[in-house]
Amino acid sequence: MIQILELIKHFVLGIASAILFITIAMSEITNTKEYIKAYREVQQEYPEGSFQREAPVALGATNAYLETNGFGFEGAPTAKAANNFHGMHASSSYMKDNPNKFMTTTGGANLRKYDNMKDSIRGYLNLLATDDRYEDVRKAQGKGVEAMFKGMSAYAQDPNYVEKLLSVYKNQIKAVLETQNMLVPKVKPLDQQMNNLK
């Protein structure tokens, strides 16, 4: 009897863990899709042929996913409050020019502050398009997003940043992008399905 109760306990814990995992995964997918939609809308604001208009959505989505810990901002309340989806720091010249557009973390880092997700995306695209540190990103445009990631080594102090981008892209973002526009057949209500069997 004790073994059966122990099996039931493990079964229930397993089911609860699976439900929690699915809920978290679905939330991340939903948030990723919201980001992708906003990114594409922002791109339409830029002229044809510009870096901002042509930069693959996977580039921004992967960076944002990594910087926000799956769009959950876990452990980053300042970045969340600042709508800073790309972990963009505020330099002293930026803070001087934009005194109300930055926030300081409890660790002392100054982050750029945006009004919303789209403003954060604009800031990210404009940075990549104009900053000399990202010339390799711009040169790799048209060669695939993975080639563009290699030019992102200057984006973070983490020496493994490029490898982390590649991992996030392959394990999270790529699947969402590949399935985003798939047609999912609509299922009829069960009573209609049963009527068809008669």
Side-chain angles (χ1 to χ4, degrees):
M1 183 67 169
I2 293 175
Q3 290 176 336
I4 292 172
L5 290 175
E6 194 67 26
L7 282 172
I8 290 171
K9 180 175 108 181
H10 286 292
F11 178 74
V12 171
L13 286 173
I15 296 286
S17 297
I19 290 170
L20 180 62
F21 175 77
I22 289 169
T23 303
I24 291 169
M26 292 304 291
S27 174
E28 286 181 7
I29 290 169
T30 300
N31 292 338
T32 302
K33 287 181 177 183
E34 286 175 15
Y35 176 90
I36 290 168
K37 181 179 183 277
Y39 186 96
R40 288 184 171 145
E41 289 172 0
V42 167
Q43 283 187 299
Q44 298 307 305
E45 299 170 5
Y46 293 94
E48 296 243 356
S50 66
F51 174 84
Q52 294 94 325
R53 179 84 172 244
E54 306 298 324
V57 68
L59 181 69
T62 301
N63 173 264
Y65 187 99
L66 181 59
E67 293 292 337
T68 63
N69 196 13
F71 295 102
F73 289 97
E74 186 177 322
T78 306
K80 184 175 184 175
N83 289 308
N84 191 326
F85 284 78
H86 296 280
M88 294 178 61
H89 288 257
S91 66
S92 56
S93 61
Y94 177 90
M95 292 186 295
K96 183 180 178 189
D97 294 341
N98 303 281
N100 298 320
K101 291 289 186 178
F102 74 92
M103 294 179 77
T104 304
T105 67
T106 54
N110 295 310
L111 298 179
R112 293 183 185 195
K113 180 181 173 188
Y114 299 100
D115 293 332
N116 52 52
M117 181 191 296
K118 286 185 177 182
D119 282 346
S120 182
I121 293 167
R122 286 182 198 100
Y124 173 75
L125 287 172
N126 292 336
L127 177 74
L128 295 184
T130 60
D131 194 306
D132 291 340
R133 294 175 295 171
Y134 306 108
E135 184 177 354
D136 289 341
V137 175
R138 294 188 297 273
K139 284 181 180 177
Q141 190 163 0
K143 297 177 184 172
V145 71
E146 293 183 34
M148 295 178 85
F149 288 149
K150 293 177 183 170
M152 293 291 289
S153 59
Y155 198 81
Q157 295 177 348
D158 184 347
N160 301 315
Y161 193 71
V162 172
E163 289 79 19
K164 288 179 179 178
L165 287 170
L166 287 166
S167 177
V168 166
Y169 171 67
K170 290 177 182 175
N171 295 314
Q172 276 85 22
I173 303 303
K174 189 175 181 182
V176 173
L177 288 170
E178 288 175 350
T179 60
Q180 185 178 21
N181 296 321
M182 287 177 59
L183 294 175
V184 179
K186 294 191 177 187
V187 178
K188 292 180 182 177
L190 189 57
D191 62 333
Q192 289 180 10
Q193 291 179 46
M194 297 307 287
N195 287 337
N196 291 339
L197 293 175
K198 291 180 184 175

